[in-house]
C-alpha cells in the first residue's frame, strides 16, 4: 500500500505518526476490553449485590401462632390477619413530610416516628398488628420508602376470661406470660422472609416469599401439664394448614388444647368477683379440679386483665397468682392428714382425743387453738380445726408416712 505524503513531511516521520496513532487506538481498545471483562466477570457478583440492594431487600414477617382451645374446642387465643408497616431509610427524601403523612394513619406522634427512623440503619418497623384497612390505606399512598406487609396479631375472643392464665403476646410476637409464654416454643410459627422488589423510582413492584411452606405440625396438648397427642389431620381442629392469603401461605404454630372449660371459667371468675366484694377481701383466687382425673377445669383470680390490650397493663396483672405465688395451705391441709391417718388405721372418726383446752407444749414450742376444747372425737377435731389434736395425729402418723401421703 502506498501513502501520499504531504509536502514537507518525510516518509519516515509519517510512518512513525501513523504507528503512534494505531498503537494508541489499540491500547485504548485494550483498556476498554479489559474494563468490560473486569465488570462482567471479575466484579460480577459485586455489581449484582449493589443492584439487589438498590432494587430489592428482604424483610421478615411473623407467622401465625398456634390456636389455643378450651376442653370443648372453643377458641381462647387465635391469630388474625393484620398489617405491619415498615420504612426503608435509604428511600426517604423528606423525613418530616413522611412522618406527617403517616402519623394520623398509624396513630403515632410525628416526632416519635422521626426518632424511630433516625435510629435505624436500613429498615425499621413503625407499627405491627394494625387492622388490614390501615395497611391498605398506607399502600394506596404509593410511597417508595414505605411498605405494608400482611402479618398476624394475637386475638383473644373471650376477652378478659382466663386472662392471667392465657397470658399475652408482645408486639414482637413472643409469649410474655401465662400459657403463651410456657408453650411459646410450640405456639410460635416460623417467620416469613419477603423479597421486596422495587422499580427505578423505588416503587414497590412485588413481594414474595423466598422459602417454601413449612409444616408446623398439629398437636393436641390436654392440660397445662401433660403429654401431646398428634391429631391425624388439620380438619380435626377446623384449621386450614395451607390457607393462602395475599401471595403467601399461612404458617401456623402448634395448636394447644387445654383442660379449661370456658363456661366454668366464666362462672368461677364471676363468683370470685361477687365473693370479694361481699367479704371486702383484698383478693380471691382458686381453681376447679376434676377429682378423678386431676384435670384443671377452671383457674381464676380477681386481679385480671384483658390480654387484647397491650398498653397500660401492670406487671402484677400478668401474674397468675394461683400457680406463681407461694401460699401457706394452713387448715386446708388438716383433712388430708386425717385421711392419711384413717387409711393407715391409726385413728377412727369416733375415737376421742384430748385437745388440751387450747394450749399444748410440743418440744420447745407452744401450740394453741383459737377455739379451745377438751376431749372431742376425731370428727369434731376437723369441725373445730384443732391445731393441737392435728399435731398429735401427725405425730402418730410419722414423718415418712405423712410425706408420702401428701
Amino acid at each position: 500500500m502506498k501513502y501520499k505524503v504531504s509536502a514537507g513531511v518525510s516518509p519516515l516521520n509519517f510512518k512513525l505518526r501513523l504507528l503512534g496513532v494505531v498503537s494508541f487506538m489499540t491500547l485504548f481498545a485494550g483498556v476498554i476490553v479489559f474494563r468490560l471483562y473486569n465488570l462482567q466477570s471479575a466484579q460480577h457478583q459485586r455489581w449484582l449485590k449493589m443492584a439487589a440492594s438498590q432494587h430489592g431487600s428482604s424483610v421478615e414477617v411473623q407467622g401465625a401462632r398456634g390456636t389455643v382451645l378450651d376442653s370443648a374446642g372453643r377458641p381462647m387465643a387465635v391469630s388474625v390477619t393484620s398489617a405491619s408497616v415498615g420504612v426503608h431509610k435509604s428511600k426517604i427524601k423528606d423525613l418530616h413530610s413522611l412522618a406527617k403523612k403517616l402519623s394520623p394513619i398509624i396513630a403515632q406522634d410525628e416526632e416519635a416516628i422521626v426518632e424511630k427512623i433516625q435510629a435505624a440503619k436500613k429498615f425499621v418497623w413503625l407499627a405491627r398488628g394494625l387492622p388490614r384497612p390501615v395497611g391498605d390505606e398506607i399502600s394506596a399512598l404509593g410511597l417508595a420508602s414505605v411498605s405494608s406487609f400482611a402479618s398476624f396479631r394475637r386475638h383473644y375472643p373471650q376477652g378478659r376470661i382466663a386472662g392471667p392464665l392465657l397470658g399475652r403476646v408482645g408486639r414482637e410476637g413472643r409469649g410474655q406470660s401465662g400459657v403463651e409464654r410456657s408453650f411459646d416454643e410450640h405456639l410460635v410459627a416460623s417467620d416469613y422472609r419477603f423479597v421486596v422488589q422495587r422499580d427505578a423510582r423505588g416503587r414497590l413492584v412485588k413481594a414474595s416469599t423466598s422459602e417454601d411452606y413449612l409444616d408446623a405440625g398439629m398437636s393436641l396438648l390436654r392440660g397445662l401439664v401433660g403429654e401431646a397427642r398428634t391429631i391425624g389431620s388439620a380438619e380435626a381442629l377446623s384449621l386450614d394448614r395451607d390457607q393462602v392469603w395475599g401471595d403467601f401461605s399461612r404458617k401456623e404454630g402448634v395448636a394447644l388444647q387445654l383442660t379449661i372449660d370456658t363456661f366454668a371459667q366464666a362462672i368461677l371468675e364471676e363468683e370470685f368477683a361477687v365473693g370479694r366484694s361481699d367479704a371486702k377481701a383484698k383478693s380471691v383466687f382458686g381453681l376447679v379440679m376434676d377429682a378423678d382425673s386431676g384435670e384443671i377445669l377452671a383457674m381464676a383470680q380477681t386481679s385480671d386483665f384483658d390480654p387484647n390490650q397491650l398498653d397500660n397493663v401492670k406487671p402484677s396483672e400478668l401474674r397468675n397468682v394461683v400457680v406463681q405465688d407461694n401460699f401457706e395451705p394452713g387448715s386446708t391441709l388438716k383433712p388430708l392428714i386425717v385421711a392419711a391417718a384413717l387409711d393407715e388405721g391409726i385413728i377412727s372418726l369416733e375415737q376421742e382425743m384430748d385437745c388440751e383446752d387450747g394450749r399444748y407444749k410440743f418440744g420447745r414450742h407452744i401450740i394453741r387453738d383459737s377455739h379451745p376444747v377438751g376431749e372431742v372425737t376425731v370428727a369434731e377435731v376437723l369441725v373445730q380445726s384443732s391445731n393441737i389434736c392435728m399435731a398429735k395425729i401427725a405425730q402418730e402418723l410419722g414423718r415418712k408416712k405423712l410425706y408420702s401421703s401428701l
Side-chain angles (χ1 to χ4, degrees):
M1 181 179 293
K2 295 182 179 180
Y3 298 94
K4 185 178 180 180
V5 181
S6 302
V9 179
S10 67
L12 179 61
N13 288 339
F14 177 77
K15 289 182 179 180
L16 290 175
R17 290 181 183 180
L18 183 60
L19 180 62
V21 172
V22 172
S23 299
F24 175 78
M25 295 298 294
T26 302
L27 180 62
F28 182 73
V31 170
I32 293 177
V33 170
F34 175 78
R35 183 58 176 166
L36 288 174
Y37 169 80
N38 191 43
L39 292 175
Q40 294 294 326
S41 300
Q43 299 186 33
H44 180 68
Q45 292 300 322
R46 174 193 172 190
W47 294 108
L48 280 180
K49 290 180 181 180
M50 184 179 294
S53 65
Q54 292 176 348
H55 296 282
S57 60
S58 62
V59 179
E60 286 190 355
V61 177
Q62 300 162 4
R65 289 175 68 85
T67 302
V68 178
L69 309 167
D70 78 348
S71 58
R74 306 181 192 95
M76 301 185 75
V78 297
S79 291
V80 297
T81 56
S82 64
S84 295
V85 177
V87 172
H88 302 268
K89 190 174 180 180
S90 61
K91 302 293 183 180
I92 299 175
K93 293 183 178 180
D94 188 336
L95 178 56
H96 292 278
S97 175
L98 176 66
K100 187 175 182 180
K101 291 179 181 178
L102 295 178
S103 177
I105 302 176
I106 63 176
Q108 290 186 20
D109 184 70
E110 288 183 31
E111 291 301 320
I113 295 175
V114 170
E115 289 178 5
K116 279 185 182 180
I117 297 175
Q118 287 178 337
K121 292 183 178 180
K122 293 182 179 180
F123 179 85
V124 60
W125 290 111
L126 289 184
R128 299 190 183 191
L130 297 172
R132 285 297 302 279
V134 174
D136 295 338
E137 184 178 355
I138 291 175
S139 297
L141 295 176
L143 299 172
S145 58
V146 182
S147 296
S148 176
F149 299 92
S151 61
F152 302 95
R153 65 180 176 86
R154 207 58 163 164
H155 176 64
Y156 301 88
Q158 311 299 336
R160 302 181 72 91
I161 295 177
L165 171 65
L166 292 172
R168 73 170 187 176
V169 175
R171 298 186 189 279
E172 300 302 318
R174 303 309 297 259
Q176 293 184 330
S177 63
V179 171
E180 294 282 19
R181 179 175 179 178
S182 297
F183 297 101
D184 188 63
E185 62 178 311
H186 302 287
L187 292 168
V188 71
S190 56
D191 293 339
Y192 297 91
R193 181 173 292 276
F194 282 97
V195 177
V196 183
Q197 301 292 338
R198 296 184 177 277
D199 61 16
R201 296 184 178 181
R203 295 173 299 187
L204 186 64
V205 176
K206 65 178 180 178
S208 60
T209 51
S210 62
E211 49 188 56
D212 295 331
Y213 175 82
L214 299 178
D215 187 356
M218 302 297 295
S219 298
L220 181 68
L221 185 72
R222 184 159 183 81
L224 297 180
V225 179
E227 295 183 357
R229 294 190 283 128
T230 302
I231 295 179
S233 65
E235 287 72 22
L237 291 178
S238 300
L239 297 176
D240 187 352
R241 298 168 72 178
D242 193 26
Q243 176 184 351
V244 177
W245 175 48
D247 48 10
F248 64 92
S249 299
R250 174 182 174 122
K251 295 180 183 179
E252 291 190 0
V254 176
L256 302 180
Q257 185 171 28
L258 308 180
T259 59
I260 298 295
D261 181 276
T262 303
F263 290 152
Q265 181 73 25
I267 293 172
L268 187 63
E269 291 184 9
E270 184 179 348
E271 291 300 320
F272 278 4
V274 173
R276 178 185 181 184
S277 177
D278 292 345
K280 295 181 174 57
K282 291 182 178 180
S283 65
V284 180
F285 55 89
L287 55 84
V288 177
M289 177 187 290
D290 186 321
D292 293 326
S293 65
E295 292 185 341
I296 307 298
L297 305 180
M299 182 183 292
Q301 62 191 61
T302 49
S303 56
D304 62 356
F305 73 100
D306 186 349
N308 289 306
Q309 302 298 323
L310 292 179
D311 300 320
N312 302 320
V313 177
K314 300 177 182 178
S316 59
E317 293 176 334
L318 299 176
R319 191 173 184 83
N320 185 348
V321 298
V322 181
V323 296
Q324 290 183 275
D325 284 7
N326 293 324
F327 187 79
E328 192 172 317
S331 295
T332 60
L333 203 61
K334 292 175 181 176
L336 301 180
I337 296 173
V338 171
L342 288 171
D343 285 343
E344 294 292 333
I346 297 173
I347 60 172
S348 65
L349 289 177
E350 295 78 18
Q351 177 182 336
E352 289 194 349
M353 299 187 67
D354 185 5
C355 294
E356 307 290 344
D357 292 323
R359 191 176 187 276
Y360 176 61
K361 186 175 182 180
F362 183 78
R364 293 180 298 174
H365 303 280
I366 301 296
I367 301 177
R368 294 181 173 83
D369 282 337
S370 57
H371 305 288
V373 293
E375 288 194 5
V376 294
T377 64
V378 171
E380 191 66 20
V381 168
L382 280 176
V383 174
Q384 297 297 329
S385 190
S386 170
N387 297 326
I388 293 172
C389 284
M390 201 58 60
K392 291 182 177 182
I393 294 173
Q395 191 176 13
E396 288 292 324
L397 188 60
R399 181 182 298 177
K400 290 184 178 179
K401 290 182 179 179
L402 177 62
Y403 180 82
S404 61
S405 63
L406 295 177

